[in-house]
């Protein structure tokens, strides 16, 4: 029994050491990836030619680390992934902060009670930051004078919106894009987003992205048409373009589905074909196939009777059905992605057909919509289909161009992040200067609440708060281009850097990164408390 206990103790010690090493790895990777203004430090294989440049802007950065311990994987899942999914940006800050706090709690505590006290202190500091970060907060910058870190985002000011987007796009777009190209992309995104903002607050802006590799980034543009990057059959190419077509949208397949009538009870005699499903006495496969093709043929006839000129289908179209549609002068367009099929249906002003059935045949007239036109557009070596709406549907498509795949990967990810940030700004339109300025303000606020080290409990609380403030200052130094050691000078330098570069950050995104980091650290520390008690 004693040897077994010793073995378990050694195993736990080894596991604890491995977890600590991986937490340090996450911390180092996150901090080393941050650069001035939020730019990401890349790994460049060939500096002379610029070939083989890899950037840490990839969402797979932490996945590529192949973390082995559940502790490190849980930290990434609790801190990085929610931040990236909600805002598309700020995951590195959340990772650096969470890993530092977990290490601070582990190293500073000797018992489960110590960890519980430090966790409660972090939760209290987070609540205080939520209350104090508002428009009434003012910071004195010495010669510059007092400034307000939090202010309203002016949606009527193009410069403010571009500054907010530039803070997301510019740091990650340093591969294959000049400052002029980045500014053009930012303005294109802002213009598309503003035009896509719906009148109803219950709907989200519809801004889709189509990527084209080859042309320079300056050829990126936005359009009110729905541009879909999908394969087009020869029949459709010969029949396009169309002007003022009637269109029916299907978010199901126009293909044979032998399981479509599995819910039928007993034999069903339709179109001269017997199908017995539930009893297991289904007729031959040829009979079932004939039933499906007859049903689809009747759907084609119903479409032709309503003078439909084009069909947009999310999934596949059976070759027989495709031929029938072409013979009746109906353009078959298949494999339209889910995000595009909803946009096409919105352009047509109708709901898509969701099921192929007798009921759908009878109600097909209610699914017929109108478009201004459908045509093919050649973008470098890529052919896309453009659906032009009759009226303004508040949907925008950004056609993003880049000279190579590596640059496109970075630009596309940063543009999607920028759209996510703008969408969040509709809910909470408060911004702050970028380049680490807000992190320095948060650090100063935390330091103003440091308790006096009168007893051991107070010393534990002070140590974990100092770790929180110190990590925020380190992050701010990375974002601001260096740490001078003087907090007031660092704060002023970050403000000047953000003002000079025209960088704005969304307060909601910044606070969320801190919240996810603190919550992840508290949850993991509480798990440690449970393990220690056991």
């Amino acid at each position: 029994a004693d040897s077994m206990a010793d073995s378990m103790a050694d195993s736990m010690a080894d596991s604890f050491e491995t977890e600590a090493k991986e937490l340090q790895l996450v911390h180092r990777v996150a901090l080393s990836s941050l650069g001035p203004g939020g730019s990401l430090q890349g790994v460049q294989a060939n500096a002379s030619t610029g070939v083989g440049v890899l950037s840490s802007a990839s969402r797979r950065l932490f996945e590529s680390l192949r973390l082995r311990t559940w502790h490190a994987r849980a930290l990434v899942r609790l801190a990085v992934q929610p931040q990236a999914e909600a805002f598309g940006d700020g995951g590195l800050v959340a990772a650096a902060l969470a890993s530092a706090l977990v290490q601070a709690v582990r190293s500073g505590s000797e018992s489960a009670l110590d960890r519980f006290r430090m966790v409660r202190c972090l939760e209290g500091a987070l609540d205080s930051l939520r209350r104090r970060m508002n428009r009434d907060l003012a910071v004195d910058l010495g010669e510059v004078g007092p400034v307000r870190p939090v202010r309203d985002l002016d949606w009527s000011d193009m410069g403010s919106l571009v500054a907010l987007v530039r803070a997301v796009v510019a740091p990650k777009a340093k591969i294959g894009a000049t400052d002029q190209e980045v500014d053009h992309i930012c303005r294109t995104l802002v213009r598309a987003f503003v035009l896509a903002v719906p009148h109803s607050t219950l709907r989200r802006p519809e801004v889709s992205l189509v990527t084209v590799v080859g042309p320079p980034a300056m050829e990126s543009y936005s359009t009110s048409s729905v541009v879909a990057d999908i394969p087009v059959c020869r029949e459709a190419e010969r029949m396009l373009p169309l002007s003022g077509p009637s269109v029916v949208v299907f978010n199901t397949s126009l293909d044979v589905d032998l399981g479509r009538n599995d819910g039928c009870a007993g034999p069903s005699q339709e179109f001269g074909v017997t199908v017995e499903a539930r009893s297991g006495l289904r007729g031959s496969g040829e009979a079932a196939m004939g039933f499906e093709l007859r049903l689809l043929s009747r759907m084609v006839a119903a479409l032709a009777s309503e003078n439909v000129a084009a069909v947009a289908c999310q999934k596949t179209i059976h070759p027989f059905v495709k031929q029938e549609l072409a013979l009746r002068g109906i353009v078959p367009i298949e494999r339209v992605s889910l995000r595009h099929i909803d946009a096409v249906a919105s352009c047509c002003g109708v709901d898509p057909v969701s099921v192929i059935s007798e009921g759908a045949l009878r109600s097909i007239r209610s699914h017929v919509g109108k478009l201004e036109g459908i045509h093919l557009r050649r973008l470098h070596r890529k052919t896309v289909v453009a659906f032009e709406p009759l009226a303004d549907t508040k949907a925008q498509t950004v056609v993003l161009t880049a000279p190579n795949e590596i640059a496109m990967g970075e630009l596309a990810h940063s543009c999607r992040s920028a759209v996510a940030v703008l969408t969040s700004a509709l809910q909470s339109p408060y911004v702050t200067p970028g380049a680490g300025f807000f992190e320095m303000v948060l650090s100063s606020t935390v330091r103003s609440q440091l308790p006096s080290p009168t007893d051991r409990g107070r010393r534990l609380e002070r140590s974990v708060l100092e770790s929180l403030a110190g990590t925020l200052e380190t992050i701010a130094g990375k974002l601001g281009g260096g740490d001078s050691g003087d907090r007031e000078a660092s704060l002023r330098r970050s403000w000047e850097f953000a003002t000079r570069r025209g960088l704005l950050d969304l307060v909601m995104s910044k606070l969320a990164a801190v919240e996810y980091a603190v919550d992840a650290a508290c949850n993991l520390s509480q798990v440690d408390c449970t393990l220690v008690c056991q």
Side-chain angles (χ1 to χ4, degrees), residues 513-533:
V514 177
E515 290 177 0
Y516 284 129
V518 172
D519 287 342
C522 291
N523 288 331
L524 293 177
S525 299
Q526 287 172 347
V527 171
D528 286 344
C529 290
T530 304
L531 294 177
V532 169
C533 290

Side-chain angles (χ1 to χ4, degrees), residues 314-335:
Q314 180 191 342
K315 300 180 181 179
T316 57
I317 302 178
H318 192 275
F320 168 76
V321 178
K322 200 179 297 183
Q323 182 180 2
E324 285 284 311
L325 290 170
L327 289 175
R328 293 176 179 266
I330 302 175
V331 180
I333 303 174
E334 61 179 343
R335 299 181 185 276

Side-chain angles (χ1 to χ4, degrees), residues 42-54:
V43 179
Q44 191 162 321
N46 192 332
S48 60
T49 62
V51 177
V53 182
L54 303 175

Side-chain angles (χ1 to χ4, degrees), residues 106-379:
R106 281 189 161 195
S107 61
S109 60
E110 298 178 358
S111 64
L113 183 61
D114 291 346
R115 296 188 181 191
F116 178 76
R117 184 159 189 167
M118 297 172 84
V119 165
R120 292 296 299 271
C121 179
L122 283 175
E123 292 173 345
L126 182 59
D127 291 338
S128 176
L129 289 177
R130 291 192 187 109
R131 292 193 304 268
R132 298 186 63 176
M133 293 300 113
N134 53 52
R135 288 176 295 177
D136 297 331
L137 180 66
V139 177
D140 188 9
L141 296 183
E143 299 177 355
V144 178
V147 298
R148 295 191 179 276
V150 180
R151 66 173 186 266
D152 292 332
L153 175 63
D154 187 359
W155 284 95
S156 63
D157 181 17
M158 183 71 169
S160 297
L161 297 177
V162 171
L164 180 60
V165 173
R166 186 186 291 114
V168 179
V169 176
K172 306 177 183 67
K174 65 177 184 177
I175 301 175
T178 63
D179 292 341
Q180 183 180 6
E181 290 173 333
V182 169
D183 186 72
H184 172 72
I185 292 172
C186 293
R187 292 183 179 277
T188 301
L189 284 173
V190 168
R191 191 179 301 109
F193 186 86
V194 171
L195 292 175
V197 174
H199 299 295
S200 172
T201 57
L202 300 178
R203 290 178 53 200
R204 293 168 61 91
E206 295 182 9
V207 180
S208 56
L209 200 66
V210 175
T211 59
V212 181
V213 177
M218 286 298 293
E219 295 188 18
S220 302
Y221 67 95
S222 63
T223 175
S224 59
S225 304
V226 176
V227 181
D229 176 19
I230 54 177
V232 181
C233 62
R234 293 182 179 179
E235 294 89 345
E237 285 187 358
R238 288 195 295 265
M239 300 170 70
L240 293 176
L242 296 177
S243 179
S246 298
V247 182
V248 174
V249 180
F250 292 84
N251 58 8
T252 185
S253 66
L254 284 172
D255 207 340
V256 172
D257 182 4
L258 297 182
R260 198 191 310 272
N261 295 282
D262 282 347
C264 298
S268 174
Q269 184 75 27
E270 292 189 46
F271 323 122
V273 179
T274 300
V275 179
E276 297 182 2
R278 186 170 294 177
S279 63
L281 301 176
R282 178 187 291 274
S284 67
E286 294 181 359
M289 178 72 75
F291 170 78
E292 283 293 307
L293 291 179
R294 288 173 185 271
L295 180 61
L296 292 171
S297 181
R298 289 190 64 195
M299 176 60 74
V300 174
L303 293 172
S305 66
E306 297 295 336
N307 297 319
V308 173
V311 166
C313 185
Q314 180 191 342
K315 300 180 181 179
T316 57
I317 302 178
H318 192 275
F320 168 76
V321 178
K322 200 179 297 183
Q323 182 180 2
E324 285 284 311
L325 290 170
L327 289 175
R328 293 176 179 266
I330 302 175
V331 180
I333 303 174
E334 61 179 343
R335 299 181 185 276
V336 184
S337 66
L338 179 60
R339 58 190 177 91
H340 284 127
I341 204 72
D342 292 337
V344 172
S346 178
C347 286
C348 296
V350 293
D351 294 327
V353 179
S354 300
V355 64
I356 307 299
S357 63
E358 284 294 318
L361 289 173
R362 291 190 294 268
S363 62
I364 196 66
R365 178 174 297 180
S366 63
H367 295 280
V368 179
K370 292 284 290 184
L371 288 176
E372 179 72 24
I374 304 176
H375 62 272
L376 297 177
R377 181 178 295 174
R378 187 73 177 175
L379 300 175

